[in-house]
Amino acid sequence: MKKKKNNASLRPFSGPLLDGPHRAAARSMLYPVGFTEEDFKKPLIGIASTWSNVTPCNIHIDKLALEAEKGANANGGKAIVFNTITVSDGISNGNEAMKYSLVSREVIADSIETVVGCAGMDGFVAVGGCDKNMPGAMICIARMNRAAVFVYGGTILPGCLTAATAPANSPNIGKDLDIVSVFEAVGQHAAGKISDEELHAVESCAIPGPGSCGGMYTANTMASAIEALGMSLPNSSAQNAISPAKMDDCRRAGAAVVEMLRQGIRPRDILTKKAFENAITVVIALGGSTNAVLHLLAIASAAEVKLTIDDFTRIGKRVPVLADLKPSGKYSMSALVAIGGIRPLMKILLDKKLLHGDALTCTGETLAETLRNVKPYPTGQQIIRAFDNPIKKDSHLVIFYGNLAPGGAVGKITGKEGSRFEGKAIVFEGEEKALKAILDGTVKAGHVIIIRSEGPKGGPGMREMLAPTSAIMGKGLGKDVELLTDGRFSGGSHGFVVGHVTPESYVGGPIALVKNGDKIIFDSEKRTLTLDVSKTELAKRKKACKKPAPRYPRGVLAKFAAHVTSASEGAVTDKDLEL
């Protein structure tokens, strides 16, 4: 692209805020924070940091933000670092606190927009490292459409239980551990497979330091999706959190935003329908989280790109799952980093004509141009399968419809647990009751666990069901029970699990009408969820069904519940607002 020569064009927002005699008061506020006379001639670049001590995913991001600041300043910009919130799914999962998780995505998007807008920033870098601050930052980037680059904070290294720290004969000795290992150890403990001593040993060493959860869970899934969208620099998604490569990534991102201003590139030039199709393709090939469906729909909504859950079905019919990554697979993200990350996989997908090579990226090059010199994976590696030997021949992200989910539902079906399940419903109003029943043995083989009142409005907040799904796996019931919910799942969930059931129970969706003992048929080949109850009986139940009172009458959860759309629309809060 041809570079713009007029320096004023590099300051479309900071210029009107800071230039001229009448803006002297605004300038006076910036001298104390380090501005010089010369800085007022430079484009103003925000560095949105999600640093906090709340979670290991983000404890190092303050240092990464400073590197991004250096990169922007070195390339002719003037950077300002500011913070936004983050929360921890790993800590809050399985508790009422988890209701704030998805809500935080919207708060993060709004808070970044507020600072960038009020400060007159011409562009910004967003540095995120956890499940919701990443899509939250991307929603803001798409919404504001100012020059921007996203930087992933990087993956954590795996923990390990050694013979010196573990009880004798521990089944976990020598295995790579992460947060999901701890959740599954809770199920093993409840089943009597491990002792109190071993559970404590696992929880003490599973998280060895900074970085996002180490499998192809939601953070690594969304990092990969954002790179495939073209909104982060090449390799940003596949770097260890503590590494020289990640520091360099941040410096280059700061410089890249200034370059985007020079070239006149804005996010919506990049965030096209082709870009979202590329992201879906990469997520499927990697075996990524169901949360990618929710978050990509939300980002597309902010970018005003028409994307639906049916696009995941259309693309999924021709894209195989190739990555043998946790949770259902063997390897950690750091192992994928060691063999080259996702770039060689993207080159394979491009060569198979499964990616749009002409899609623009934040580098100013097309996707194909950024992949032209990528080297293949080393011979003999076992993490990324060949096309003639896939983990699954089509997508693991299955969109279901049927009389139980007329608005759609999302399953994560690897095929390892089978493709069809028929069982009797055991119904729970909320996650905690279901978890207790799984751990105490009330839930048995042949049950279809229904966890409702967990949707975006009804929860509110659409909690992840990581605690119950991990307990199911830990108790050895992964192939013997199914779990359906109007809530959602962690990227660490696996087994017979279907979430995002729409309409949710709070608004009177069919999931609200299910009773204990009802026969439910799940078929991933036909992509159907069937409640085997007559229309007459369902109509009778519908008539008797009453909408529950809101659980939170005030505060951020109440605001979220009042404005949020359905899961099938991305659970966004700013669509078609009445003014």
Side-chain angles (χ1 to χ4, degrees):
M1 285 192 177
K2 188 176 180 180
K3 294 182 180 180
K4 294 183 177 182
K5 296 180 179 179
N6 183 1
N7 192 53
S9 67
L10 303 186
R11 302 179 61 240
F13 302 101
S14 64
L17 184 73
L18 299 174
D19 293 354
H22 65 296
R23 301 308 301 166
R27 293 191 298 275
S28 72
M29 293 291 288
L30 292 171
Y31 288 112
V33 301
F35 273 61
T36 65
E37 294 285 346
E38 195 64 27
D39 289 334
F40 290 110
K41 301 175 185 177
K42 301 173 183 176
L44 189 59
I45 307 299
I47 311 295
S49 168
T50 58
W51 170 83
S52 78
N53 283 333
V54 169
T55 167
C57 311
N58 296 76
I59 56 174
H60 62 304
I61 285 179
D62 55 338
K63 297 179 179 63
L64 299 184
L66 294 177
E67 295 302 310
E69 178 189 29
K70 292 176 184 176
N73 290 343
N75 200 28
K78 174 56 182 175
I80 296 179
V81 181
F82 65 95
N83 255 76
T84 185
I85 66 159
T86 196
V87 300
S88 173
D89 292 0
I91 296 171
S92 60
N93 246 305
N95 187 272
E96 187 79 0
M98 185 63 187
K99 291 182 177 179
Y100 288 91
S101 172
L102 184 59
V103 176
S104 77
R105 184 189 73 178
E106 306 302 298
V107 175
I108 290 162
D110 292 349
S111 66
I112 297 174
E113 177 188 352
T114 300
V115 176
V116 170
C118 187
M121 293 172 176
D122 302 301
F124 61 103
V125 177
V127 190
C130 204
D131 292 14
K132 304 309 170 301
N133 57 52
M134 301 168 69
M138 280 303 305
I139 288 169
C140 179
I141 286 171
R143 186 190 292 167
M144 297 199 79
N145 200 29
R146 301 187 188 190
V149 173
F150 179 80
V151 173
Y152 178 41
T155 186
I156 197 171
L157 296 173
C160 185
L161 196 61
T162 67
T165 57
N169 301 316
S170 166
N172 292 304
I173 291 175
K175 293 181 180 178
D176 283 353
L177 301 178
D178 56 27
I179 187 62
V180 176
S181 308
V182 186
F183 278 100
E184 294 187 356
V186 172
Q188 294 170 343
H189 180 264
K193 296 178 182 178
I194 64 173
S195 65
D196 292 350
E197 184 184 4
E198 178 159 5
L199 177 60
H200 178 71
V202 170
E203 74 174 72
S204 299
C205 68
I207 314 296
S212 298
C213 299
M216 190 45 64
Y217 310 145
T218 301
N220 283 314
T221 297
M222 288 312 301
S224 302
I226 293 168
E227 183 172 334
L229 281 171
M231 286 306 306
S232 61
L233 297 179
N235 289 316
S236 184
S237 69
Q239 294 165 336
N240 293 321
I242 303 301
S243 66
K246 181 49 63 185
M247 301 290 270
D248 182 60
D249 180 39
C250 294
R251 287 189 292 272
R252 291 186 297 110
V257 171
V258 180
E259 192 60 29
M260 287 177 73
L261 282 165
R262 292 193 181 111
Q263 295 189 24
I265 300 173
R266 296 193 295 174
R268 293 196 191 182
D269 299 326
I270 298 166
L271 295 172
T272 62
K273 184 65 176 283
K274 286 183 177 181
F276 283 97
E277 291 179 345
N278 285 345
I280 293 170
T281 297
V282 170
V283 166
I284 292 170
L286 288 168
S289 168
T290 54
N291 280 317
V293 180
L294 196 72
H295 296 325
L296 287 172
L297 289 171
I299 297 165
S301 176
E304 299 184 82
V305 171
K306 187 176 181 180
L307 190 73
T308 73
I309 54 174
D310 296 328
D311 287 311
F312 288 81
T313 298
R314 174 177 58 83
I315 295 168
K317 289 179 180 179
R318 58 192 179 89
V319 180
V321 179
L322 299 175
D324 189 12
L325 294 167
K326 292 183 173 186
S328 59
K330 181 179 179 181
Y331 296 97
S332 68
M333 187 64 181
S334 62
L336 182 60
V337 170
I339 65 167
I342 73 168
R343 303 299 289 178
L345 173 62
M346 291 176 68
K347 182 67 162 59
I348 293 167
L349 294 169
L350 179 67
D351 291 344
K352 293 288 184 179
K353 302 188 185 307
L354 294 174
L355 292 179
H356 299 288
D358 59 343
L360 183 66
T361 73
C362 62
T363 66
E365 295 184 311
T366 65
L367 180 67
E369 288 170 337
T370 69
L371 292 171
R372 61 182 177 269
N373 295 321
V374 170
K375 295 179 181 179
Y377 289 119
T379 303
Q381 63 82 24
Q382 301 294 314
I383 303 173
I384 302 297
R385 298 272 193 94
F387 260 74
D388 59 1
N389 182 34
I391 302 235
K392 191 170 185 283
K393 64 181 178 60
D394 55 7
S395 180
H396 65 301
L397 296 176
V398 180
I399 307 301
F400 291 87
Y401 287 100
N403 70 340
L404 189 51
V410 181
K412 187 176 184 180
I413 312 300
T414 64
K416 293 183 178 181
E417 290 80 25
S419 60
R420 192 179 189 278
F421 192 94
E422 185 176 310
K424 292 185 176 181
I426 181 167
V427 182
F428 301 96
E429 300 291 342
E431 178 185 10
E432 288 87 351
K433 293 177 182 178
L435 179 60
K436 182 178 182 297
I438 294 164
L439 294 175
D440 70 16
T442 301
V443 170
K444 302 184 185 302
H447 273 142
V448 177
I449 304 164
I450 303 290
I451 304 180
R452 64 191 181 199
S453 303
E454 292 287 4
K457 286 184 177 292
M462 203 179 179
R463 286 192 291 182
E464 292 180 348
M465 301 294 119
L466 179 58
T469 58
S470 298
I472 288 167
M473 300 306 291
K475 292 204 75 172
L477 292 171
K479 296 183 179 181
D480 301 318
V481 300
E482 183 194 354
L483 191 153
L484 300 179
T485 180
D486 52 7
R488 60 195 176 90
F489 296 112
S490 162
S493 294
H494 56 122
F496 276 122
V497 295
V498 180
H500 307 205
V501 173
T502 307
E504 61 175 287
S505 63
Y506 181 78
V507 299
I511 192 172
L513 311 180
V514 182
K515 292 185 176 181
N516 287 329
D518 285 348
K519 181 178 171 183
I520 292 175
I521 304 165
F522 150 96
D523 192 322
S524 68
E525 297 293 335
K526 296 179 180 179
R527 301 184 179 88
T528 55
L529 284 177
T530 305
L531 174 59
D532 191 17
V533 174
S534 70
K535 290 183 179 179
T536 302
E537 174 62 18
L538 287 177
K540 181 181 176 182
R541 294 182 189 180
K542 179 77 171 176
K543 189 174 182 180
C545 187
K546 294 182 179 180
K547 185 176 181 178
R551 297 188 178 189
Y552 289 84
R554 301 182 69 84
V556 70
L557 293 179
K559 288 188 229 179
F560 182 84
H563 294 288
V564 71
T565 64
S566 76
S568 291
E569 297 176 291
V572 299
T573 57
D574 63 347
K575 185 177 181 180
D576 301 327
L577 291 176
E578 293 184 10
L579 301 177

